[in-house]
Amino acid sequence: MPLSNEGVPGTATGVETHPAALPGYRHPLDPLTPEELVAVSLSVRKYTVAKTDIKAVRFITICLLPPPKRNVLAYLGIPLKTGEQPQAAPKIVRRAEADFVDAVTGTSYNTVLSLKGNEWEVASIDKLPDGAQPQISVEELLLCEDIIRADARVIQLAKEVGVEKDQLFADGWAIGYDDRFPQKQRIQQALLFARFGRHENLYAHPMDFIPVVDSVARKVIHIDFPPEYTKSAPGQGSFASSGINAQLSSDVTTPPSLAEDALTASKRARFPPPLGRHDFLPDLIQENLEKEGKKFKLRDDLKALHVVQPEGVSFKVKGHEIEWQKWKLHASFHHREGLVISTVTYNDDGVVRPIVYRLSLAEMVVPYAAPEHPHPRKFAFDSGEYGMGTMANELSIGCDCLGQIHYLPGAFAKHDGSAFVIKNVICIHEEDAGLLWKHTDFRVGGRSHAVRARRLVIQMICTLANYEYIFNYRFYQDGNIELEIRLSGILQVYAEDPKKPSESPFATTVAPGVSAQYHQHIFSVRVDSMIDGLANTVVETDIVPLLDASTGSPLNHAGNAFTARATPIVKQSEGGRDFDLSTDRRWAITNPSKKHPASGKPTGYGIVSKGTMTPLMARPDSWVARRAGFTRKALWVVRDEEGPKGSRIWPSGKYVPGTREFPQDSIVNWVKGDENLDGEDLLVYLTAGITHIPRPEDWPVMPMENVNILLRPVHFFTENPAMDVPGANDTRSGLAFPNGDNNAPCCSSAD
């Protein structure tokens, strides 16, 4: 059956409305198909009608509930320890879980189902605790815009500054933190913009007020007006004690009570949105410039650059399982984590060596720096509040991905239980990665050899309203695994009074009347390790000068000695670790029962990410720190605990919208206690990110910024595992200009 296109967001392909338990799965971690999502939703609806007093079901998420880890490994023939026989393959029961809201009462529920034959059976329905909210759905984000356009006061406030109802647009954000409202309300803050043309950049026209909407009641429940900054005399103003010469119109950053008039409390006048056109579509840029009597031309001096593989690709794909250059792994779509990599093994001369059971983005937070209300509410948990998968793009060949591409699909639930489908949500391709290794014997008559690197790239791109995140999981021929997160898109901006330049010490004016506040992007990457098996230990290593051996001493005469001091992390209460630049601190996930034949050290994979270990700049007791506890440490080590609903995954809790503290089931509490971490089934959470001080060059669309995390073999292989990669001799390479010897040897010289 063809997909429906009704109500489909710009990131998706279509909607699946027909149920089916089959075609089922090939791999126990295969995501639910669109047909399975519909079948699950129908089973939930039948159950709630027959056996509950739930009034009307609004589905938020439906996804696979993974089988137990050891069962999956046994099913796939992966040993629990390298060199041992796999356990006997068990029967795998396919299970699903769904979060939904009673659309009448606003009460939230979680349900678990099992596939029995061709029917999904409800095993349990649990009412979530008061205040616990499932993630905000795509349809609720779109609904936010409908709600503000139907509100008489919003329409009037917009009209007062020259904006008509049909020109109003809203980015719905989770409320963040605002204890003026009951925690049980399902509410969003609507960041408003004007759009004066169908495809123009609406972020160029931010509005000066922020409504709060109730998604269940479908109404605006409050409107906030941020105060403004003006320049103050030296030593005076609101922030004089911090050495900042700026005056806040409201004098304080404290939220006014709901009973107060918010505009009066802001102590500033209304002002219209900036009207400058700052488009990113080439035809609109040209149109705007021509109106100003200027010309615009795209660069025409770029010659074609093609990625060509005349013999086809070097990887194999079977369903969601991928094999390439001794690697074997599973790649899948998840509504919250986005792209998930699982069951990663390496074939080391015929020996299957487990490395990673599951690798994914577990959480992220984007806290903003402006302290004046309501801007402190802006700290989006883009994964936990919205879902990377639900915001994923359908990818385009030759644009998002170059070369010979294979795509994998994804699907997630709509409110009515049908499924949004993204046909090309994951792309798989190969890239040249420069030189893999090279050496030249410089002596007379010496020989040289060089080998070019190839890498496998598995990619997903997600649009979170204004921002884009590109997730590239890369596998290399030398055993490295890399996660590259690239950030682009449009800055989240607020309006300035065009008649008086802003003096905000917490933002950059990127265009007239357009203010981009300082902010951070902090990611929590979850590594469910199985280095040569499930019994792992994390070792922390500091590089330190030789202690008690000063220059000139018998043991350190020249003063140059330094060594590596390794400390295993063996107790759960020691699982939260800080980065120390002064000792070039690094960590490795090791298997203490497997030793390198020469070094005698445990086999392991090191973590290389020191350039991205960004500390949270908000205070330790701030709103954001109280909710995003994972930002407190650069690395966390915890024991995995599998329960009826799976492993530990979510560092800030499973249900993030509306939280005011980190919940009991979150990483800050997981590290409490004295449980053993030595030789156990471990989870490692890596905290990485960037601090973004916007520049005018980031406007109107931001060039890419990168966050990179590398997992690198340490004492894992006997020697460089890439010694058997052939030297490349690309006969299609040639001279750009006739000024050299086109017949010079490429990669290897003979006697």
Side-chain angles (χ1 to χ4, degrees):
M1 297 289 292
L3 298 176
S4 166
N5 291 315
E6 184 177 352
V8 178
T11 52
T13 309
V15 176
E16 176 60 68
T17 59
H18 296 85
L22 302 176
Y25 64 94
R26 295 178 178 176
H27 188 291
L29 299 181
D30 280 355
L32 299 181
T33 65
E35 296 85 359
E36 285 181 303
L37 291 173
V38 177
V40 168
S41 72
L42 285 176
S43 294
V44 173
R45 285 190 185 281
K46 290 177 183 177
Y47 185 93
T48 56
V49 168
K51 299 186 177 182
T52 76
D53 59 357
I54 296 169
K55 306 300 182 186
V57 174
R58 178 189 290 177
F59 287 99
I60 304 299
T61 65
I62 302 174
C63 65
L64 176 75
L65 188 58
K69 189 182 304 185
R70 291 172 183 264
N71 288 5
V72 172
L73 294 175
Y75 183 92
L76 298 175
I78 298 173
L80 297 181
K81 182 178 179 181
T82 296
E84 294 183 351
Q85 289 297 313
Q87 293 185 329
K91 180 181 178 181
I92 298 287
V93 177
R94 192 154 171 86
R95 298 196 301 159
E97 72 168 329
D99 290 325
F100 64 87
V101 174
D102 185 325
V104 175
T105 66
T107 306
S108 299
Y109 297 86
N110 173 266
T111 180
V112 173
L113 303 91
S114 297
L115 183 60
K116 304 287 183 67
N118 287 333
E119 296 292 329
W120 288 94
E121 293 185 3
V122 173
S124 65
I125 288 186
D126 298 316
K127 178 179 175 294
L128 299 187
D130 287 344
Q133 299 278 358
Q135 71 181 53
I136 296 170
S137 69
V138 172
E139 288 164 286
E140 285 175 307
L141 296 176
L142 297 173
L143 176 64
C144 179
E145 215 157 66
D146 295 335
I147 292 172
I148 59 101
R149 285 178 182 157
D151 185 83
R153 188 179 176 209
V154 169
I155 294 170
Q156 178 59 34
L157 288 170
K159 197 173 187 65
E160 289 173 3
V161 290
V163 177
E164 298 299 324
K165 170 185 171 180
D166 59 356
Q167 296 172 329
L168 272 177
F169 287 78
D171 282 357
W173 280 43
I175 197 64
Y177 185 110
D178 196 329
D179 56 11
R180 301 176 303 169
F181 302 101
Q183 195 170 356
K184 65 181 182 181
Q185 272 187 292
R186 195 162 174 83
I187 57 180
Q188 302 176 57
Q189 51 185 321
L191 307 183
L192 295 187
F193 304 90
R195 176 174 258 173
F196 302 111
R198 183 181 178 191
H199 296 296
E200 71 143 347
N201 179 11
L202 60 89
Y203 297 106
H205 316 299
M207 304 289 288
D208 75 331
F209 64 103
I210 300 174
V212 177
V213 306
D214 184 318
S215 299
V216 176
R218 301 193 177 206
K219 65 180 182 180
V220 174
I221 60 175
H222 187 67
I223 297 176
D224 285 307
F225 291 85
E228 66 181 0
Y229 288 95
T230 54
K231 191 170 185 177
S232 65
Q236 299 181 20
S238 305
F239 302 92
S241 61
S242 298
I244 297 172
N245 300 322
Q247 176 64 42
L248 185 64
S249 62
S250 61
D251 299 317
V252 297
T253 64
T254 310
S257 71
L258 295 180
E260 292 181 72
D261 181 84
L263 179 58
T264 301
S266 73
K267 298 182 181 179
R268 53 96 172 166
R270 296 290 311 285
F271 51 85
L275 300 179
R277 296 287 294 264
H278 301 280
D279 288 310
F280 57 89
L281 296 173
D283 57 316
L284 297 185
I285 296 173
Q286 181 175 353
E287 178 184 309
N288 296 338
L289 290 175
E290 286 178 351
K291 289 178 181 178
E292 299 175 13
K294 301 177 183 177
K295 292 183 178 181
F296 173 75
K297 185 181 75 168
L298 293 173
R299 301 182 190 189
D300 58 6
D301 56 349
L302 278 175
K303 307 299 183 183
L305 177 63
H306 301 292
V307 178
V308 179
Q309 293 181 280
E311 299 173 10
V313 299
S314 303
F315 58 86
K316 300 176 183 177
V317 178
K318 183 179 180 182
H320 288 264
E321 206 163 35
I322 305 165
E323 291 186 68
W324 178 82
Q325 291 290 288
K326 305 186 180 182
W327 293 102
K328 189 172 184 179
L329 58 101
H330 183 269
S332 63
F333 171 93
H334 189 274
H335 69 270
R336 179 163 171 175
E337 297 160 283
L339 175 53
V340 177
I341 304 296
S342 304
T343 58
V344 179
T345 62
Y346 189 92
N347 189 324
D348 191 4
D349 292 330
V351 178
V352 175
R353 302 185 70 180
I355 296 176
V356 174
Y357 182 75
R358 200 170 187 273
L359 177 62
S360 67
L361 176 74
E363 192 53 89
M364 68 167 293
V365 67
V366 188
Y368 282 74
E372 69 275 14
H373 181 80
H375 295 314
R377 294 191 309 216
K378 290 193 296 192
F379 52 101
F381 290 79
D382 285 337
S383 176
E385 289 179 331
Y386 313 101
M388 281 296 171
T390 59
M391 301 296 175
N393 290 192
E394 181 172 32
L395 302 177
S396 301
I397 199 164
C399 175
D400 299 313
C401 308
L402 292 181
Q404 309 302 301
I405 308 299
H406 179 74
Y407 290 109
L408 295 177
F412 59 95
K414 289 190 66 188
H415 282 173
D416 64 4
S418 58
F420 280 125
V421 177
I422 314 175
K423 282 187 175 180
N424 299 337
V425 71
I426 298 170
C427 77
I428 306 163
H429 62 285
E430 294 173 284
E431 291 179 345
D432 179 89
L435 283 170
L436 179 59
W437 62 265
K438 177 175 181 174
H439 182 66
T440 299
D441 183 349
F442 74 92
R443 292 165 180 82
V444 176
R447 297 177 60 187
S448 65
H449 192 69
V451 175
R452 291 200 68 80
R454 187 85 61 88
R455 65 188 175 203
L456 180 73
V457 181
I458 307 172
Q459 182 184 82
M460 177 180 284
I461 302 176
C462 308
T463 298
L464 279 295
N466 53 298
Y467 252 102
E468 261 76 17
Y469 297 98
I470 295 90
F471 296 92
N472 292 318
Y473 288 87
R474 295 167 170 168
F475 292 82
Y476 292 83
Q477 293 159 305
D478 59 0
N480 286 349
I481 303 170
E482 181 184 30
L483 168 58
E484 180 196 54
I485 305 172
R486 310 186 79 189
L487 294 78
S488 185
I490 298 177
L491 296 165
Q492 204 292 314
V493 294
Y494 178 65
E496 296 177 353
D497 187 340
K499 295 180 181 178
K500 44 185 175 181
S502 173
E503 296 293 336
S504 172
F506 310 103
T508 302
T509 300
V510 294
V514 181
S515 174
Q517 294 163 356
Y518 305 162
H519 59 280
Q520 296 185 285
H521 301 260
I522 303 180
F523 305 88
S524 179
V525 176
R526 180 180 183 269
V527 183
D528 187 347
S529 66
M530 54 175 186
I531 306 298
D532 273 332
L534 292 179
N536 289 171
T537 300
V538 173
V539 176
E540 180 176 275
T541 300
D542 291 305
I543 312 305
V544 294
L546 187 62
L547 297 177
D548 300 322
S550 60
T551 302
S553 66
L555 297 181
N556 192 16
H557 181 73
N560 63 300
F562 63 88
T563 188
R565 183 179 63 206
T567 306
I569 302 169
V570 298
K571 191 163 61 173
Q572 186 61 88
S573 58
E574 300 170 350
R577 312 305 299 174
D578 293 312
F579 177 64
D580 189 343
L581 184 61
S582 68
T583 61
D584 199 10
R585 179 169 289 173
R586 73 276 311 272
W587 295 276
I589 310 170
T590 70
N591 188 319
S593 68
K594 299 287 289 184
K595 300 292 182 14
H596 189 275
S599 72
K601 305 276 186 162
T603 60
Y605 259 71
I607 297 164
V608 182
S609 62
K610 63 183 178 182
T612 62
M613 290 185 175
T614 301
L616 179 69
M617 300 310 296
R619 292 185 176 274
D621 58 351
S622 63
W623 291 352
V624 61
R626 284 155 56 184
R627 296 183 66 207
F630 70 88
T631 60
R632 298 180 180 186
K633 300 291 181 181
L635 178 136
W636 303 82
V637 186
V638 300
R639 284 177 62 160
D640 193 13
E641 291 186 2
E642 291 188 286
K645 296 185 180 180
S647 294
R648 288 171 161 171
I649 297 181
W650 317 116
S652 285
K654 183 172 183 177
Y655 299 106
V656 178
T659 57
R660 294 178 181 173
E661 303 283 347
F662 51 81
Q664 182 63 34
D665 188 19
S666 63
I667 203 162
V668 174
N669 289 315
W670 295 343
V671 297
K672 294 178 179 178
D674 293 324
E675 290 90 349
N676 178 54
L677 295 181
D678 189 13
E680 297 287 348
D681 184 3
L682 300 181
L683 304 174
V684 178
Y685 288 81
L686 311 175
T687 307
I690 62 169
T691 300
H692 193 181
I693 306 301
R695 315 164 295 158
E697 291 86 353
D698 292 326
W699 181 259
V701 178
M702 190 177 90
M704 292 289 176
E705 287 210 37
N706 292 25
V707 174
N708 292 76
I709 295 172
L710 186 69
L711 302 178
R712 189 174 190 176
V714 179
H715 306 284
F716 189 82
F717 294 106
T718 304
E719 61 177 12
N720 179 353
M723 297 307 297
D724 58 352
V725 177
N729 187 3
D730 183 12
T731 58
R732 299 197 178 200
S733 292
L735 297 174
F737 307 103
N739 61 350
D741 182 1
N742 197 37
N743 297 314
C746 175
C747 297
S748 188
S749 59
D751 289 334

